[in-house]
Amino acid sequence: MLRLSLCIVTAISVIAASPAFSKTITISIGYQSMCTDTYPAGTVLKGLDLLQKYLPHTGKYADVKYHIIWRDYGSGAPITNMMMAGKLDFGTMGDYPLIVNGAKFQQTSTERTYLITMTGYNLDGAGNGIVVPINSKITNVKELEGKTISTPVGSSAWGMLYEMAADNHIPFSSFHIVNQSPMAGIAAITANKIPAHADFCPISEDMEYKKVGRMIYNGEETHVPYLHGAVVTASFAKKYPEIVVAYDKAVIEADQWITNNPYNASKTIAKWTMMPKEVLYLYFSRGGYLTMDPAITQKWVKTLQYDHTILAKNASIPTLNFKDWVNPKYQETAYKQLGLKYSAASVGAYNPRNNITLPPEIWVQGSGIQKYKSVRSMLIAAKADIESHKKIYATYVYDHTTGLKLFGNYAYYIKNGNNYTAYMTEEGAKNDAHGTPVYSYKQILSAV
């Protein structure tokens, strides 16, 4: 750590002695407005002008003007392509695309990228999912053998498919994989033109919310953490290290902004994107799919190394020197300059299984988020709201087995006297029901 600190001080000293920049510096950022877990490094930075807040304007940057270009993409793969073409300086994407990005750049003779920040995670892998049309008879992934699955090739969901196939002892070659963007996948599922679509956060939940698709597989079943972050080209970072530090500062504040008020953040981000506020709240709220944390921890590095083995084995992804690729020095400097302890940000990981003690919620028009002491009391309140013709935006419960936050109207329920429990799948509920009835949301409202 001492040697790293000395290197940072030396680098900054050399840069400080260099001539001042008397020009306009262009910063090109590739982001994804359809991917919730990347929002702190793209959509929120853009919406709140956070990067401008931290860009340097003293010393050699005293006379600099900044021209920030924001380019929106449907997945991580095209961001990597544009970075390799010299069209982007920064790119934010999920775990598998990050690995592909680093590996592809290390195959070039000159350019490289650095992993400079994470944005958020789900410890068990929730966020990716496989969806079938709402009226499909397919109920599990084994029924997809020999069938077509569309997915954004090169995305985190694409990588999840390899893990899903291995875990379920299904030959990956038995699937017919078609490359489709999130928007194309949503359209195909809505029109019942494809058996299944695999996608990243929050496309599966968005299709459930809009009642056009039904999730048959959640990435949580892989038990492999689901990560997102951002990379920068090495050439840009070496030329403008203070700008990279400014970017990391902005990501830190964006994460804090979402965490401190997920209700407000969900409503605000919904105005900037095509994602419904109710879906965003499922991700950003306490106990939601996403835990906001920009720190690059050793646990996440090991997870990315594991992901690389999956891609190297199944998709011929080149080798990746993690020592050269993972570069936390800019982030460490950002934390220090903000008066925050980087070591404190890197401790532990939030386990979704702790969520089952959190209160169920109802989001009612005009009343905001209402919290309840139990599933039963939430259901009684929801039934009363329906009878009073109040508009319910969404109900939220927690899967009794995994702790995963769910839309209440897509959960399954069992009851034992006045004790009600919710489950993500009908199969999960039946495993705990021991022969007692399993209820859908509509059925449980009638029985409460």
Side-chain angles (χ1 to χ4, degrees):
M1 181 60 72
L2 178 59
R3 184 168 61 182
L4 177 59
S5 299
L6 289 174
C7 289
I8 296 172
V9 172
T10 301
I12 293 175
S13 298
V14 171
I15 291 165
S18 62
F21 297 116
S22 56
K23 60 179 180 179
T24 297
I25 297 177
T26 298
I27 307 171
S28 299
I29 302 171
Y31 73 107
Q32 300 178 57
S33 65
M34 295 285 286
C35 180
T36 47
D37 294 20
T38 67
Y39 286 174
T43 298
V44 175
L45 267 61
K46 180 175 183 285
L48 296 180
D49 293 330
L50 288 181
L51 182 56
Q52 290 90 324
K53 176 179 178 179
Y54 291 108
L55 286 173
H57 292 283
T58 59
K60 65 183 180 181
Y61 294 94
D63 297 320
V64 163
K65 294 182 179 179
Y66 294 101
H67 177 48
I68 303 175
I69 300 174
W70 298 93
R71 300 188 187 279
D72 191 2
Y73 296 90
S75 63
I79 293 178
T80 291
N81 293 338
M82 292 298 285
M83 291 182 77
M84 296 193 77
K87 303 296 184 181
L88 294 173
D89 305 305
F90 293 84
T92 179
M93 57 193 80
D95 39 27
Y96 285 95
L98 285 170
I99 291 165
V100 174
N101 179 284
K104 282 191 173 183
F105 269 98
Q106 286 187 5
Q107 293 296 299
T108 68
S109 59
T110 55
E111 186 63 283
R112 298 287 185 272
T113 55
Y114 296 143
L115 177 66
I116 56 168
T117 185
M118 309 308 294
T119 54
Y121 66 89
N122 182 282
L123 188 63
D124 285 337
N128 289 315
I130 302 175
V131 174
V132 297
I134 191 70
N135 294 319
S136 172
K137 295 182 179 180
I138 296 174
T139 60
N140 61 74
V141 292
K142 291 187 177 180
E143 296 175 37
L144 292 176
E145 285 193 63
K147 293 183 171 59
T148 297
I149 304 176
S150 70
T151 189
V153 170
S155 70
S156 293
W158 171 69
M160 174 203 67
L161 289 176
Y162 288 107
E163 295 185 33
M164 176 275 292
D167 290 346
N168 288 274
H169 308 289
I170 303 172
F172 191 80
S173 58
S174 69
F175 302 125
H176 179 214
I177 304 298
V178 175
N179 187 13
Q180 280 193 326
S181 68
M183 290 301 294
I186 292 172
I189 288 293
T190 302
N192 200 21
K193 290 184 176 180
I194 199 164
H197 179 73
D199 222 318
F200 47 76
C201 54
I203 306 304
S204 298
E205 296 76 28
D206 181 53
M207 285 193 277
E208 278 195 328
Y209 176 75
K210 293 175 179 174
K211 300 179 181 180
V212 299
R214 175 170 46 84
M215 193 188 307
I216 63 166
Y217 184 87
N218 191 299
E220 180 274 336
E221 295 185 42
T222 67
H223 301 298
V224 177
Y226 181 41
L227 312 172
H228 286 72
V231 288
V232 64
T233 60
S235 58
F236 186 93
K238 291 174 181 177
K239 189 174 183 179
Y240 306 118
E242 295 88 352
I243 294 178
V244 179
V245 171
Y247 181 87
D248 274 345
K249 287 181 181 178
V251 172
I252 292 168
E253 182 169 336
D255 266 338
Q256 292 174 338
W257 178 75
I258 294 172
T259 300
N260 291 341
N261 195 334
Y263 172 70
N264 178 67
S266 298
K267 293 194 297 180
T268 302
I269 296 172
K271 297 175 182 178
W272 298 335
T273 69
M274 298 176 65
M275 289 297 115
K277 60 185 184 300
E278 298 84 357
V279 175
L280 296 177
Y281 188 77
L282 181 67
Y283 271 79
F284 296 144
S285 59
R286 187 184 178 200
Y289 274 36
L290 181 61
T291 301
M292 314 306 297
D293 186 358
I296 303 174
T297 68
Q298 282 303 306
K299 183 177 182 62
W300 302 151
V301 174
K302 290 179 180 179
T303 298
L304 292 168
Q305 288 172 333
Y306 167 78
D307 292 340
H308 180 265
T309 65
I310 298 295
L311 293 180
K313 177 182 177 181
N314 298 288
S316 300
I317 295 302
T319 58
L320 175 58
N321 185 324
F322 278 78
K323 184 178 180 180
D324 292 341
W325 180 56
V326 179
N327 196 334
K329 70 178 183 181
Y330 304 100
Q331 191 176 67
E332 291 170 353
T333 302
Y335 270 86
K336 183 176 181 179
Q337 291 182 2
L338 290 172
L340 303 172
K341 290 186 177 180
Y342 186 71
S343 57
S346 305
V347 175
Y350 184 81
N351 191 330
R353 283 171 174 75
N354 297 330
N355 289 347
I356 56 174
T357 61
L358 295 179
E361 299 168 311
I362 303 178
W363 191 341
V364 181
Q365 184 181 41
S367 301
I369 302 291
Q370 306 296 317
K371 300 180 185 298
Y372 298 88
K373 293 183 178 180
S374 66
V375 173
R376 179 175 180 270
S377 59
M378 183 277 288
L379 291 169
I380 291 173
K383 185 175 182 178
D385 286 340
I386 293 170
E387 291 173 350
S388 300
H389 303 289
K390 293 181 180 179
K391 182 174 178 58
I392 296 178
Y393 287 135
T395 57
Y396 302 96
V397 294
Y398 298 90
D399 177 46
H400 188 70
T401 303
T402 65
L404 190 65
K405 195 163 192 171
L406 314 168
F407 285 124
N409 61 311
Y410 278 97
Y412 294 87
Y413 300 85
I414 60 175
K415 65 174 185 172
N416 182 10
N418 288 331
N419 184 34
Y420 290 63
T421 49
Y423 295 84
M424 179 168 53
T425 64
E426 186 175 14
E427 182 180 3
K430 287 181 177 178
N431 288 339
D432 275 5
H434 305 297
T436 59
V438 171
Y439 300 86
S440 66
Y441 180 66
K442 184 177 181 180
Q443 291 169 336
I444 199 68
L445 286 179
S446 299
V448 71

